[in-house]
Amino acid sequence: MSIRGIEMNYYAICRRKLWLFNRGLGLEQGNDRVTEGAVLHEQAYGRLDKEWNITEDAVVDAVEDEWIREVKISSRMEYADRLQMMYYLYLLKERGIEKKGLLSYPKEKKTTDGSSTLSWT
């Protein structure tokens, strides 16, 4: 069974949301916030290689030298975003690829190091 990065994100946000998503009952379809995120993803960081597949189910938003980057709308769920990034870095390390991770929030003009360890507080 393959785990997708979004599942790691949903696990941190709400386990019920993850349960619904895994059963094809994702409530995001047609959601304005999802559409906004897709547009932001396309417009942000145009010079970078976009959507790099680590596995069939794990796709990073952008790649830049030794960095992988996830582009998000808001930093409100930064813990969940960081968990998703740590999962991507783990998958890469399993394949012998050493990268660092960046979490980017273009609307807030904020970028954080997604490689640092998670804090459970």
Side-chain angles (χ1 to χ4, degrees), residues 14-32:
C14 176
R15 293 194 178 102
R16 180 176 293 145
K17 183 175 183 166
L18 174 60
W19 187 88
L20 291 167
F21 178 79
N22 281 332
R23 283 151 183 81
L25 301 171
L27 306 174
E28 297 84 13
Q29 304 305 8
N31 185 313
D32 290 341

Side-chain angles (χ1 to χ4, degrees), residues 45 47-48 60-72 78 81-82 84-86 88-89 99-105 110-116:
Y45 309 100
R47 71 189 188 290
L48 302 177
V60 177
D61 287 343
V63 180
E64 176 182 15
D65 299 322
E66 75 271 7
W67 297 93
I68 60 173
R69 184 184 302 261
E70 275 294 300
V71 179
K72 303 292 185 180
E78 189 171 343
D81 301 338
R82 189 173 304 279
Q84 182 177 358
M85 176 60 72
M86 297 296 287
Y88 289 152
L89 293 171
K99 296 268 187 197
K100 297 176 191 170
L102 293 174
L103 297 171
S104 297
Y105 307 98
K110 175 181 174 183
T111 297
T112 63
D113 182 353
S115 306
S116 60

Side-chain angles (χ1 to χ4, degrees), residues 21-56:
F21 178 79
N22 281 332
R23 283 151 183 81
L25 301 171
L27 306 174
E28 297 84 13
Q29 304 305 8
N31 185 313
D32 290 341
R33 192 117 167 113
V34 173
T35 304
E36 181 183 358
V39 170
L40 181 67
H41 174 78
E42 287 301 315
Q43 293 176 347
Y45 309 100
R47 71 189 188 290
L48 302 177
D49 292 332
K50 299 246 177 136
E51 295 195 349
W52 187 49
N53 289 31
I54 299 171
T55 69
E56 187 176 300

